[in-house]
Amino acid sequence: MPQHTFCTDELKNAGFCSVCKIRETSLCATVDPEEMQLISKTMAHHSIKEGQALVSAGEISKYLYIVVSGVFRLVRFMDDGRRQITGFVFPGEIVGVSRTKQSIHTAEALEPSLVCSFSHSYLNEISHRFPDIKDKLIARGDTELEKAEDHIMLLGKQTAHERVISFIELLLAKQSGADNRIYLPMSRQDIADYLGLRLETLSRTLASLKKDGHLQKVSGRFIDISSDTEMTK
Amino acid sequence: MPQHTFCTDELKNAGFCSVCKIRETSLCATVDPEEMQLISKTMAHHSIKEGQALVSAGEISKYLYIVVSGVFRLVRFMDDGRRQITGFVFPGEIVGVSRTKQSIHTAEALEPSLVCSFSHSYLNEISHRFPDIKDKLIARGDTELEKAEDHIMLLGKQTAHERVISFIELLLAKQSGADNRIYLPMSRQDIADYLGLRLETLSRTLASLKKDGHLQKVSGRFIDISSDTEMTK
DNA sequence: CGAGGCCTTGAGCCGGCTCAAGTTCGGTGG
DNA sequence: CCACCGAACTTGAGCCGGCTCAAGGCCTCG
């Protein structure tokens, strides 16, 4: 597994919340340390293979998943096969919030990933002791909604150039790590389906951004950004 | 006030939850009748004038509003003035779920409307007695997310024709009342900004749907649907 | 070294956009 | 009641950004 991936070996082997990198920013932050110890022993961890679905469209998910490492795409199809990616899910984010309704999209791993899962009934149970959990879930839904609305702005009003730049900035924000170089966990087709563009248009737009000097290098799953320009189209 | 509006006189005069038409489908359904009586007396009702903003982009809303009658548009601008409507809010739906974050859109009344409001702190308080309230809020966020995702599909993958048809079907679902005739509470520009189309394209598409026989009549704020065709483009 | 994905590039087309007149309609004042 | 006005909507003509179809590179893996 190359080290540019979102999935670190460290986490793969750990299996305990104490070393979880995303714990503090996630749901678990509302639970006190002793309780966490307890949960840590009973909670299920899953390692998800590349391409595997965490939740599937039309099914009701009994579990809520927290992505520990890896990236997922949320995919939705129209009857005639047109595919839209409605979002990507990064570490610390949640899949399967709804405990009642059937999911409208499928969540597929883009790379080998780690998630931990809580059954909705268990969450409901411990929410008596930790009422913050429900507040967190409400807040989380709100954040998701903002993401969706940003996406709506992008699809409704932005040009191809703007969309690609927005997308690169999105990834940049997630990957504060390796500076100037961005790793794309997803294929061109995934990106195009997220941006509401055709594969070819995306490719051409990337090429044009390189020619403009916005990007330094575009090669496979890596993009080097020209550090001086702040992507200000 | 013409009777085709979403805002009925009955509700305007009432001011008490007992006659509220949307109570059973909304948040309040989780509260038992006696408590409702109490709330009914203390709760604030507001009548919102056409064009008035319920919440504004960039501001934190201290209140959660339930739309009792009327329709709102959720508006968001880009720096250069491009406008996107990210959604419409119909009776029974909620505005201002977030108690912490500042709103990213403005909610403006499309017609004289009635809302009732709860302060977030009050909601938090009574949620001890009625824990279902938080579950309802979580579920509500989830429904919103589905709406947003439908919108994303529409903007990302549908043609102009499909978008207009989807929109008409959306209104049809909200207005189960007067059959075959749809009333548009919003302007053409609002619809266009919702659908990610230009005003002119929307107008032309409506004209073409009429010529195709999908629509019988398109005149101002009314659309008559050809009852035989089930809009199956 | 060959096969098969995945990505890029090319050429031409078309759906929706732009710019620019009309047209309709509700409201307002004479 | 009519004349006028402005806002909202429709229609027309031409253009262009992104799509389609098709070929050509470039990795990866066997």
Side-chain angles (χ1 to χ4, degrees), chain B residues 91-220:
Chain B
E93 300 177 343
I94 291 176
V95 173
V97 176
S98 174
R99 60 180 300 181
T100 50
K101 278 184 246 173
Q102 50 192 30
S103 174
I104 53 178
H105 51 235
T106 298
E108 296 166 341
L110 291 171
E111 51 186 22
S113 302
L114 273 185
V115 303
C116 57
S117 65
F118 300 87
S119 80
H120 284 298
S121 52
Y122 174 69
L123 275 180
N124 203 44
E125 192 184 298
I126 68 168
S127 72
H128 297 131
R129 264 169 299 155
F130 305 102
D132 280 355
I133 285 184
K134 284 192 177 172
D135 291 326
K136 277 255 177 183
L137 283 179
I138 293 172
R140 173 61 62 182
D142 218 58
T143 307
E144 295 295 314
L145 218 53
E146 284 185 17
K147 273 170 58 178
E149 216 171 88
D150 288 344
H151 200 179
I152 285 171
M153 288 298 286
L154 182 146
L155 294 171
K157 284 284 168 312
Q158 292 184 209
T159 65
H161 267 249
E162 291 171 327
R163 294 181 198 200
V164 173
I165 290 177
S166 294
F167 181 72
I168 290 173
E169 285 173 345
L170 178 86
L171 280 188
L172 208 49
K174 297 292 172 192
Q175 276 165 256
S176 46
D179 252 287
N180 276 15
R181 161 157 288 200
I182 292 179
Y183 170 68
L184 309 172
M186 66 292 284
S187 72
R188 295 285 190 277
Q189 187 63 66
D190 287 339
I191 301 173
D193 285 348
Y194 176 80
L195 296 179
L197 298 173
R198 299 264 108 195
L199 186 59
E200 300 93 326
T201 303
L202 169 62
S203 201
R204 267 187 261 272
T205 305
L206 283 172
S208 127
L209 284 174
K210 196 170 82 184
K211 208 160 65 176
D212 293 4
H214 284 102
L215 303 178
Q216 216 165 67
K217 198 178 168 199
V218 177
S219 169

Side-chain angles (χ1 to χ4, degrees), chain B residues 28 41-42 46 76 87 131 140 145 161 170 174 179 207 223 231 233:
Chain B
C28 314
K41 285 186 188 123
T42 61
H46 305 277
R76 201 169 149 186
R140 173 61 62 182
L145 218 53
H161 267 249
L170 178 86
K174 297 292 172 192
D179 252 287
I223 292 181
M231 304 246 66
K233 196 243 146 152

